Amino acid sequence: MDGILLPKSWNVDLILNDLDQHGFAMIDDAYTAEYVHTLSEECISHLNQFRDAAIQNGVVSNIRSDHILWLNEELNIAQQHIQYLNALSAHLNQAFFLGIQEAEAHFACYNAGEFYALHRDNPQGKNGRMISTVYYLHEDWQSDWGGQLRLQDKNGEWHIIEPKPNRIAIFQSDLLHEVLQAKHQRLSITAWLRSGNSIW
């Protein structure tokens, strides 16, 4: 984790400050256009392998209707994103003593009409998820296509985060949030930075 240089667009000081003050942060223009394109192609080429998403313990529920594909070593392009998240984890551990040890991630596809209702990624602090991240990898998006992330920050304020292409949303996993209904196919990588403890 320590040997990877983060992209210049990743302002670590700003990320840490925003997480400290509000519980969430954003990175815009995260990667080069070439990487975005190859990552999008990798995701789209595997869409036939996606399955209905589930909540805790593999239970399929009407709380969400998206489709996912868990990342593995064979998805080489997506693994580069995970390596950068692991490198960011070293900074998060140093600043907040989170004890993050690993990342788990999946591609997510929200087709028109699909959503994810209000929830927390780490209810009761039981699953080790400390930080949640969503990387929007579709190459085009319009504001009236829906699919926004609606999130309540650590101070109780609500925010609407647009799924702009090449944007990463980063937030505490215990924050209440939802994905509003999409009106157009929305592609992303959802990743959780995990620890054995929950201390937020």
Side-chain angles (χ1 to χ4, degrees):
M1 289 198 306
D2 297 332
I4 298 176
L5 291 177
L6 291 172
K8 292 181 179 179
S9 58
W10 294 38
N11 186 330
V12 173
D13 289 339
L14 181 60
I15 293 168
L16 296 179
N17 183 71
D18 285 348
L19 284 170
D20 184 49
Q21 296 296 317
H22 308 290
F24 79 99
M26 285 186 290
I27 303 171
D28 283 327
D29 302 315
Y31 298 118
T32 64
E34 180 183 13
Y35 179 73
V36 175
H37 182 68
T38 55
L39 180 58
S40 177
E41 284 190 330
E42 183 177 65
C43 177
I44 291 170
S45 70
H46 289 83
L47 281 176
N48 63 339
Q49 299 175 30
F50 282 46
R51 60 175 178 79
D52 290 347
I55 56 173
Q56 298 293 322
N57 302 317
V59 177
V60 175
S61 167
N62 60 8
I63 190 176
R64 65 187 299 187
S65 55
D66 56 313
H67 299 80
I68 65 169
L69 176 66
W70 288 97
L71 300 189
N72 56 40
E73 296 297 330
E74 296 177 3
L75 297 166
N76 296 325
I77 309 301
Q79 284 300 321
Q80 296 176 43
H81 172 60
I82 303 307
Q83 289 174 10
Y84 284 127
L85 291 180
N86 284 334
L88 179 63
S89 295
H91 295 280
L92 297 172
N93 285 340
Q94 185 175 16
F96 303 122
F97 307 101
L98 297 181
I100 295 168
Q101 299 173 2
E102 63 179 352
E104 61 174 351
H106 60 58
F107 283 127
C109 175
Y110 287 80
N111 292 308
E114 296 180 345
F115 65 94
Y116 196 154
L118 278 172
H119 67 285
R120 303 177 196 273
D121 290 345
N122 190 357
Q124 291 87 47
K126 293 180 178 179
N127 62 20
R129 292 174 175 173
M130 306 302 293
I131 298 292
S132 300
T133 71
V134 182
Y135 174 62
Y136 301 110
L137 59 86
H138 38 257
E139 296 186 80
D140 298 297
W141 197 258
Q142 298 178 16
S143 59
D144 60 352
W145 286 356
Q148 297 94 341
L149 174 65
R150 180 171 175 263
L151 177 143
Q152 185 181 46
D153 70 20
K154 64 189 294 184
N155 305 307
E157 300 281 336
W158 285 95
H159 303 264
I160 299 290
I161 298 173
E162 293 288 338
K164 287 178 55 178
N166 207 15
R167 164 178 279 179
I168 304 175
I170 305 169
F171 56 96
Q172 292 177 201
S173 295
D174 59 355
L175 295 181
L176 194 60
H177 62 284
E178 65 181 330
V179 177
L180 302 181
Q181 187 178 83
K183 300 176 183 177
H184 190 279
Q185 186 182 77
R186 201 207 80 170
L187 302 175
S188 61
I189 295 178
T190 304
W192 299 273
L193 310 181
R194 295 177 57 111
S195 163
N197 303 301
S198 180
I199 62 175
W200 285 101

